[in-house]
Amino acid sequence: MKKLRPKLSDRIADIGCGNGQLLYELFASGYQDLHGFDPFMSQEKVISPNLTIWKKTIEESEMKFDLIMMHHSFEHMSDPLKILNSCFEKLRSGGKLLIRTPVSDARVWKEEREFWVQLDAPRHLIIPSIKGFELVSKKVGFELNEVEFDSTDFQFWGTELYKRGLPLNPELVSNEFSKEEFEEYQKKALYYNQEGLGDQVCFYLTKP
């Protein structure tokens, strides 16, 4: 958000917002026109005139936005070209699109293959490469301004759980890994991000 620098009055959408936690935090920070979209919610929620969680897709909305975000929802979409076209259509000129997603450029994918935790089949339907995403987004009409790696130690300990034949259960984590192992995984994640080897990124895009 620091890089995007939205104004408090900007109309902001979060696609695949879940319970709307991020939007609640933005609301508490003074943002005045917030909209979450998640068709899998149990019911629509109008928190205030400044914040609504819609039980529908953004395609079903008639609004235009200054900023659209997808925080780990893009990989759950079956048609990346369709959702990018929808975002382009719903953004005002000069509007921003932020997409955070796993990427297939990851070293952990190349080394661990089917054990890579972010494959997450069958929930993850697409995992783009950086080059592939760049080509598709430009085809839609977006300008890709920046790619920032923001992967975490999850790529290592989650993958290791699968290699040990264990489920991805948070309760197992403290028993399976020492404090020293976590610290090493965190250092490794930072290094991977710095070298462009991590397993997830932020794509910053602009509609001209």
Side-chain angles (χ1 to χ4, degrees):
M1 295 299 284
K2 287 181 180 179
K3 289 188 177 183
L4 293 167
R5 300 178 68 180
K7 299 189 294 291
L8 293 178
S9 59
D10 281 351
R11 180 173 288 165
I12 299 173
D14 187 8
I15 299 176
C17 64
N19 65 6
Q21 179 62 38
L22 175 59
L23 292 170
Y24 284 117
E25 293 176 14
L26 294 178
F27 175 62
S29 300
Y31 288 90
Q32 302 158 9
D33 200 351
L34 301 165
H35 303 267
F37 294 92
D38 198 324
F40 300 105
M41 290 183 56
S42 58
Q43 62 183 12
E44 191 170 292
K45 297 179 182 179
V46 180
I47 311 304
S48 87
N50 307 100
L51 171 57
T52 302
I53 310 296
W54 302 94
K55 182 179 167 56
K56 61 183 178 182
T57 65
I58 196 169
E59 291 93 335
E60 297 173 281
S61 172
E62 297 181 356
M63 292 182 287
K64 295 282 188 177
F65 298 91
D66 300 291
L67 169 61
I68 296 175
M69 307 181 293
M70 280 187 273
H71 296 276
H72 291 278
S73 56
F74 181 76
E75 60 267 32
H76 297 271
M77 309 289 182
S78 60
D79 189 335
L81 183 59
K82 179 181 177 182
I83 188 61
L84 286 173
N85 272 315
S86 296
C87 290
F88 192 86
E89 177 189 339
K90 297 299 179 182
L91 278 171
R92 294 168 176 153
S93 295
K96 305 290 185 179
L97 174 63
L98 170 65
I99 294 180
R100 299 177 63 227
T101 181
V103 287
S104 60
D105 306 79
R107 174 173 282 185
V108 67
W109 156 242
K110 295 173 182 177
E111 292 179 347
E112 304 295 353
R113 306 306 290 179
E114 68 271 18
F115 295 109
W116 179 33
V117 66
Q118 297 241 48
L119 284 178
D120 202 14
R123 297 191 318 124
H124 287 180
L125 304 178
I126 54 170
I127 299 180
S129 67
I130 292 174
K131 185 63 176 178
F133 183 91
E134 180 181 11
L135 290 171
V136 173
S137 63
K138 285 185 176 180
K139 180 179 180 180
V140 170
F142 281 108
E143 294 176 357
L144 179 58
N145 307 119
E146 184 180 353
V147 179
E148 179 183 16
F149 282 83
D150 72 337
S151 57
T152 70
D153 54 348
F154 174 64
Q155 64 189 304
F156 305 119
W157 60 258
T159 298
E160 184 61 29
L161 283 177
Y162 285 158
K163 289 176 69 177
R164 297 179 186 183
L166 298 171
L168 193 62
N169 184 342
E171 295 179 1
L172 297 174
V173 175
S174 59
N175 295 328
E176 290 293 322
F177 304 102
S178 67
K179 179 182 177 182
E180 291 73 22
E181 284 177 307
F182 274 122
E183 290 176 350
E184 186 59 33
Y185 285 154
Q186 289 166 359
K187 290 178 183 177
K188 192 175 179 181
L190 180 60
Y191 171 76
Y192 273 28
N193 287 340
Q194 292 170 340
E195 298 299 315
L197 304 171
D199 74 337
Q200 63 184 42
V201 304
C202 304
F203 290 113
Y204 295 89
L205 305 107
T206 302
K207 177 178 179 177

